[in-house]
Amino acid sequence: MIVVAGEALIDLVPQAPTPRDGRYVAGVGDAGVGGGGGSGANPGADLGGGGGVGPASGAGVHSGAGANPAAGAGANSAAGAVGQAPALPALAPRLGGGPYNTAIALGRLGSPAAFCSRVSTDAFGDALLAGLRAAGVDVRHVQRGDEPTTLAVASIGADGSAGYSFYVDGTADRLFSAPSRLPDGVRAMSFGTCSLALEPGATAYEQLMRDAAERGVCTALDPNIRSGLIPDADTYRARFKSWLPSVTLLKVSEEDARWLGGTPQEWLASGPAAVVVTRGGDGLRVYTRAGVEVSVPGVAVDVVDTIGAGDTVNAALLHALDARDALSADAVAGLGADDWETVLRFAARAAAITCSRAGAEPPYARELHEA
C-alpha cells in the first residue's frame, strides 16, 4: 500500500471559460512557486480543481477560513458603471490539495492507496472523503474535526496555469496529529505541499516522514512550494535540507529548485536515492545516486489547464516504481537508464491527460498503457 499524507482542501475556481493559447507541451507538472492545489474525484461533475501549478506571483494567505471568497459572484454584469461595483466571476467548488490529488491519481491508476490527513466534518469534508472512496482510496486513517475546510481561491491564466489565494487559519488540516503507528502493509509514503509549511500540522507530518524512513519505508517528497504560505523562507529552506536524509525520492519543479536553492547533485548527497525535476514543456529529468541521468520530453496536448499535473506525476512515478518492485532506496538508486526512461515517459503521458481536461482529473489505468 502507498500512503499519501497531507492536506485536503476545496478549490474555488472561476466558472467562466478562459482563453487558452492553442497547443502546449504538457505532462510534466507545471508547478509554479506560489500556486495552489486541488483535485477532481468525479469526472463530469463540478468537482475537480487541482494542484501543482501556478505562476510565482499567484498565491497569498488569508485569515478567516469561514469567509466567503465567492461573494459577489452574481454581481451586476454592467461592471464599471458609475456607482456600481465590478462584476466578479462565479466560483465553483472543487475537491483539492496536492496530496489529495496524488491519492486520487494513485487510486485511479490501480495502486492500493490510503490517505492520511485531518478532514473537516463539514459538507466539504464529507465530499472530500467521498471523492477518495470513489477512487478506491482507503480513508480509515483520516482524522476528522469540526474546524472548517481550507479554501483555495483560484485564478486561471491564459496558458492554463493557476494561481491561488488561501484561507487557512483554524482549518482542519492544520491540526493533524501524527498517528502512533504506520498502517499495516505500507510500502511507501508520499508527502508535500502546504501540509509541510503550515504549523502546527507541519511538525506532525515531518515526524511521520522521519518515522517512516526510520522503519525502512520508501518516502517520496514533493515540496511544491507555495511561497505565500511560508512566513520565513530561510527557515523553510533549512528545514527542507533537514528532511533530505529521510527522503527516498525527491520530485521538484524547476521553479521549486530555484526557490529552494541547490542542485540535484547536492540533494542526492544528503540522502535521496533519486531526484526527478519537472521542466514544464521540456519534460522530466531524473538524477540518481548511482550517477544515472535520463531526460524525456513533454507530451504535446491541447491544454485545458495544467491543474494537478505535478500531482499526477507524483502518483505515476510511485505507481511505475511499484510495478517494478522498486519501492526502496536501494531499488530506486539501482534502476538503470532504460527503466527510468520508461517510468518518466509513463509519468509524462499521465500528466498530459490531466492537462487535457478541466481541473485535476488524473487518468484511469485504462487510459494508459502500463508502465
Side-chain angles (χ1 to χ4, degrees):
M1 175 182 288
I2 299 172
V3 178
V4 184
E7 77 275 2
L9 53 80
I10 292 294
D11 285 330
L12 296 175
V13 301
Q15 287 184 312
T18 349
R20 299 286 182 261
D21 285 340
R23 289 178 65 81
Y24 178 80
V25 181
V28 296
D30 297 291
V33 176
S39 173
N42 184 5
D46 196 14
L47 293 170
V53 298
S57 60
V61 58
H62 304 274
S63 61
N68 182 9
N76 191 314
S77 60
V82 175
Q84 292 181 329
L88 298 175
L91 298 175
R94 293 180 175 179
L95 309 179
Y100 184 90
N101 296 343
T102 298
I104 293 290
L106 280 166
R108 290 184 177 187
L109 290 173
S111 286
F115 192 57
C116 184
S117 183
R118 181 178 174 89
V119 171
S120 177
T121 55
D122 64 16
F124 284 147
D126 290 343
L128 287 162
L129 288 186
L132 290 164
R133 293 190 184 102
V137 178
D138 187 340
V139 298
R140 288 176 294 173
H141 310 288
V142 174
Q143 303 161 20
R144 304 297 301 271
D146 59 6
E147 310 83 18
T149 298
T150 295
L151 303 179
V153 182
S155 59
I156 308 298
D159 63 353
S161 62
Y164 289 82
S165 295
F166 294 88
Y167 293 77
V168 299
D169 281 5
T171 53
D173 55 17
R174 296 188 68 172
L175 300 179
F176 171 80
S177 57
S180 58
R181 59 187 296 271
L182 298 178
D184 294 335
V186 58
R187 292 167 52 79
M189 295 197 71
S190 176
F191 300 87
T193 316
C194 305
S195 54
L196 287 170
L198 296 172
E199 295 291 5
T203 295
Y205 285 111
E206 178 182 292
Q207 185 58 53
L208 183 59
M209 179 167 57
R210 296 188 194 280
D211 289 348
E214 288 174 3
R215 299 181 192 185
V217 173
C218 176
T219 56
L221 172 64
D222 175 14
N224 203 5
I225 300 300
R226 302 292 175 247
S227 58
L229 297 176
I230 299 174
D232 186 329
D234 289 340
T235 297
Y236 183 92
R237 291 179 180 116
R239 196 170 187 179
F240 164 75
K241 291 178 181 178
S242 79
W243 299 330
L244 295 179
S246 300
V247 173
T248 307
L249 175 66
L250 174 65
K251 193 221 84 176
V252 297
S253 69
E254 286 185 315
E255 293 88 348
D256 290 340
R258 284 193 292 268
W259 190 91
L260 288 164
T263 67
Q265 292 77 15
E266 291 171 352
W267 298 327
L268 287 169
S270 297
V275 176
V276 173
V277 180
T278 63
R279 303 182 297 151
D282 293 328
L284 300 94
R285 178 183 288 269
V286 67
Y287 306 80
T288 77
R289 189 188 299 159
V292 173
E293 292 188 20
V294 176
S295 295
V296 302
V299 176
V301 347
D302 290 319
V303 169
V304 175
D305 61 49
T306 59
I307 294 173
D311 309 320
T312 301
V313 168
N314 292 338
L317 291 173
L318 289 169
H319 177 81
L321 290 172
D322 192 21
R324 287 163 173 73
D325 196 24
L327 289 180
S328 72
D330 289 344
V332 169
L335 283 182
D338 289 345
D339 275 331
W340 272 115
E341 181 175 355
T342 303
V343 169
L344 295 183
R345 288 187 183 278
F346 177 74
R349 294 198 312 273
I353 292 174
T354 301
C355 292
S356 72
R357 45 208 190 195
E361 289 292 350
Y364 292 85
R366 62 181 178 269
E367 299 178 88
L368 288 156
H369 297 297
E370 277 301 318

